[in-house]
Amino acid sequence: TMARVIKAPRATVWRAWSDPTRLEQWWVPEPARCKVIDMDLRPGGSFVTRISEGGGAFVPHIDACFLAVDELSRIVFTDTLLAGWRPAENAFMTAIITLSDHPGGTEYAAHVMHRSGADRKMHEEMGFHDGWGTVAEQLARFVEQTH
C-alpha cells in the first residue's frame, strides 16, 4: 500500500484516472511512455496499456479487467481477469485505488495484492514502492498543474 495527499480536488484526480488521454500522461515512470489501448471503465471492462522504454516499441504493460468502479472514489482492477470476466493466463495482481476528500485536496491510496508471497516479493524486487510512488508523484504533479 502507498498513500499520499494530492493538492487537487478529487474530481480532478478522478479525471486523470478515468480519461485515457490523461492517464497516458502519468501512468508509467518517466521517461517511459504509456499508450492506452483500451479502457472501458466499468465492472467487467477492459484496462489495457502498453509501455515504451528508452524510445523503443510499445510492449505489453497491463492487460486487466475492472472489478469495481465507484465514481470519484474507487477503482479496482486485476490482471487475473481480462475484459468480460475472462480468465487471464498470467495472473499477477489486483489493485484498489481509492480517492477521498482531504483538507489539503485528495487522499490518494493504492493497495496492491498478489496471489502469492512469491509474486509480492517479485513485485517488490521489480521496484513496486519506487515505481508506484513515482507514478503517484507524477499524478500529483499532473493534476496540480492542470486543475
Side-chain angles (χ1 to χ4, degrees):
T1 300
M2 62 80 42
R4 65 166 293 152
V5 173
I6 296 176
K7 296 174 188 155
R10 189 162 39 138
T12 302
V13 178
W14 179 264
R15 276 192 308 279
W17 251 105
S18 61
D19 176 335
T21 304
R22 288 184 168 119
L23 186 82
E24 289 178 341
Q25 303 300 309
W26 62 269
W27 179 233
V28 298
E30 295 173 340
R33 294 181 10 240
C34 174
K35 183 185 301 184
V36 175
I37 303 301
D38 197 15
M39 187 173 178
D40 184 5
L41 196 62
R42 64 178 177 83
S46 64
F47 182 33
V48 181
T49 65
R50 298 293 179 255
I51 188 171
S52 170
E53 298 185 79
F58 281 91
V59 297
H61 177 242
I62 298 273
D63 198 346
C65 176
F66 289 108
L67 301 177
V69 178
D70 302 319
E71 191 159 346
L72 298 175
S73 63
R74 185 173 70 135
I75 296 171
V76 182
F77 65 90
T78 185
D79 66 0
T80 302
L81 298 170
L82 305 175
W85 312 108
R86 305 295 302 166
E89 207 171 297
N90 298 312
F92 181 65
M93 66 164 200
T94 298
I96 303 169
I97 307 301
T98 56
L99 309 176
S100 56
D101 290 330
H102 183 277
T106 301
E107 175 77 27
Y108 174 83
H111 179 69
V112 178
M113 299 171 288
H114 302 86
R115 67 181 173 165
S116 69
D119 281 353
R120 177 184 175 172
K121 184 175 186 210
M122 181 175 68
H123 205 181
E124 287 174 346
E125 290 170 356
M126 288 168 51
F128 167 79
H129 294 287
D130 287 341
W132 282 69
T134 296
V135 165
E137 175 62 30
Q138 290 173 183
L139 167 62
R141 228 179 17 244
F142 178 72
V143 298
E144 289 167 3
Q145 294 170 358
T146 60
H147 86 277

